[in-house]
Amino acid sequence: MTNLRPTRRLSLAIATLIGFTMSDSPLPAANYDEAEVPRYELPDPLTMQNGTRVKSAKDWVEKRRPEVLELFRKHVYGRSPERPSGLKFKVIQNDTTALGGQAVRREVLITFARNEATPEATLLIYLPKDTDGPVPAFLTINFVGNHTLHTDPGISISRSWVRNNKDWGIDNNRADERSRGSRRSRWAVEKILKRGYALATIYYGDIDPDYDDGFANGIHRLYPKPKPDEWGSISAWAWGMSRCLDYLETDRDINAKKVAVMGHSRLGKTSLWAGAQDERFAMVISNDSGCGGAALSRREFGETVKRINTSFPHWFCDNFTQYNDRINDLPVDQHLLIALVAPRPVYIASATGDPWADPKGEFLSGYHAAPVYELFGLKGVGVAKQPKADHPVGHHIGYHLRTGKHDVTDFDWEQYLNFADRHLK
Ligand code: GTR
């Protein structure tokens, strides 16, 4: 508290008072004032927990990286299991005349069998045609079902639990034809294909439905109830993305050594955690991922750790709640999550109309991860200040602040494609 400025103290006091009188709103109002960001010190990427300096890429790879990864597993996202032995893939459709003959549409049924239970997920893949050899790919995870990516009538409608949405005629937590193509603006399918990349996507609800049910559904039900340092839903979704990559490694039309993992918002947190853990991902993209994603937690700007753990108790591991009111004791902050991707390229995108996700905090994570890239002789974002809107920057750590709201747009995809052209081609 001593670090806080008077106005912040006042708003906290009011909020606490309201909290006492209205038991359902115990959280302080979110801070959107840069002047009210508390003073903080970030854990140094190049200092081990025991105080030893990290002097080389070798020290990072052999000592500090495993330590940081373990800290994120134990305190933030929770550890997830190995690939299940009963994992199976089955190509259920392969249409070489999709999108007016421009693309191949492939669907793969993934079965996560373990003991008696066999949850299934459908991976949708669009491949460009007339290519010479296997193509690089974007592997993404989506919010409302694969069939919402495009109006293409050949995409199977998701059969898993889905959040109700009046605009798209989703009631009873089941999707139907009315939601086909409803999220089309977020997925530049044709643009991606034209640039020579495949687009693979999975519906997150196929892996773990996004509600707090005590881990009784999705792939969580295959495993015992998690301990305090074991996976929440973000870890489960990230685990699912690694299982998709397991399939992509078997697909001869895809260059699995050139797969970029991408997600938006809670699924941007997911893509970062997937890419941080699974070094087979060649590139990692976080779109407006915010708190628990790219944004620095210690800034407490917009969404805070306390708030996210309160609103979404199933996303992180239980240990994370210990830091709700003492974020400075957490041995990591999110710049270290970005650093875990090194030396692979990572892209962080923010939007001007998305203060909840703390765009500046997202930039700063990238900025403070640079010392790790430098150990490998690589440059990070390459600028000391957050760039103006719509001016992408960066070398091995890419960054832009797009004008507009919390969303994924063609502008975002244009930057991801340019970044991928630079690093994957
Ligand atoms: C919000 C949540 C954010 C972000 C977002 C989303 O409600 O507070 O952390 O993940 O949802 O996923 O759209």
Side-chain angles (χ1 to χ4, degrees), residues 143 186 204 210 264-269 288-292 303 307-308 311-312 315-316 356-357 406:
F143 273 95
R186 287 191 171 176
Y204 82 142
D210 190 4
H264 166 62
S265 204
R266 68 197 68 183
L267 301 177
K269 310 180 207 300
D288 304 358
S289 60
C291 180
E303 188 170 34
R307 193 175 286 269
I308 207 167
S311 311
F312 307 101
W315 282 4
F316 299 87
W356 183 243
H406 185 70

Side-chain angles (χ1 to χ4, degrees), residues 145-373:
N146 297 346
H147 66 282
T148 62
L149 260 75
H150 201 283
T151 48
D152 178 358
I155 309 173
S156 304
I157 303 263
S158 167
R159 286 172 296 146
S160 298
W161 178 95
V162 64
R163 198 172 305 287
N164 288 337
N165 184 309
K166 277 201 205 102
D167 294 345
W168 303 330
I170 301 177
D171 45 30
N172 231 348
N173 301 116
R174 287 284 171 258
D176 61 27
E177 276 299 334
R178 287 170 290 177
S179 52
R180 186 179 296 283
S182 55
R183 278 293 166 99
R184 188 175 179 174
S185 68
R186 287 191 171 176
W187 306 97
V189 178
E190 281 84 355
K191 191 192 276 272
I192 293 168
L193 293 168
K194 270 206 193 90
R195 298 274 292 256
Y197 294 85
L199 174 64
T201 191
I202 191 157
Y203 170 48
Y204 82 142
D206 269 8
I207 300 165
D208 193 27
D210 190 4
Y211 58 89
D212 185 19
D213 70 335
F215 300 103
N217 61 23
I219 50 128
H220 272 136
R221 75 187 157 94
L222 304 190
Y223 297 88
K225 192 169 161 36
K227 300 197 183 75
D229 67 342
E230 288 178 344
W231 56 353
S233 292
I234 291 174
S235 254
W237 299 325
W239 179 93
M241 300 201 84
S242 286
R243 304 294 70 84
C244 292
L245 185 54
D246 293 340
Y247 166 75
L248 295 178
E249 284 185 325
T250 70
D251 189 319
R252 278 195 245 136
D253 294 324
I254 304 268
N255 183 345
K257 298 223 171 336
K258 295 193 171 181
V259 175
V261 61
M262 180 272 181
H264 166 62
S265 204
R266 68 197 68 183
L267 301 177
K269 310 180 207 300
T270 300
S271 62
L272 284 172
W273 182 227
Q277 293 185 96
D278 191 336
E279 293 179 276
R280 295 174 301 165
F281 286 114
M283 185 171 135
V284 182
I285 304 167
S286 145
N287 193 92
D288 304 358
S289 60
C291 180
L296 290 177
S297 303
R298 279 164 172 74
R299 280 172 47 81
E300 306 208 84
F301 190 102
E303 188 170 34
T304 60
V305 165
K306 181 170 189 167
R307 193 175 286 269
I308 207 167
N309 279 329
T310 307
S311 311
F312 307 101
H314 57 296
W315 282 4
F316 299 87
C317 72
D318 284 354
N319 278 345
F320 198 36
T321 58
Q322 291 170 24
Y323 301 97
N324 282 356
D325 293 306
R326 48 182 194 98
I327 194 63
N328 290 297
D329 293 340
L330 181 67
V332 290
D333 208 317
Q334 300 304 109
H335 63 309
L336 290 172
L337 182 67
I338 306 298
L340 285 175
V341 182
R344 294 162 295 150
V346 58
Y347 201 103
I348 303 167
S350 311
T352 53
D354 189 20
W356 183 243
D358 186 12
K360 185 170 179 189
E362 293 179 318
F363 168 77
L364 287 173
S365 264
Y367 176 78
H368 290 292
V372 176
Y373 281 80

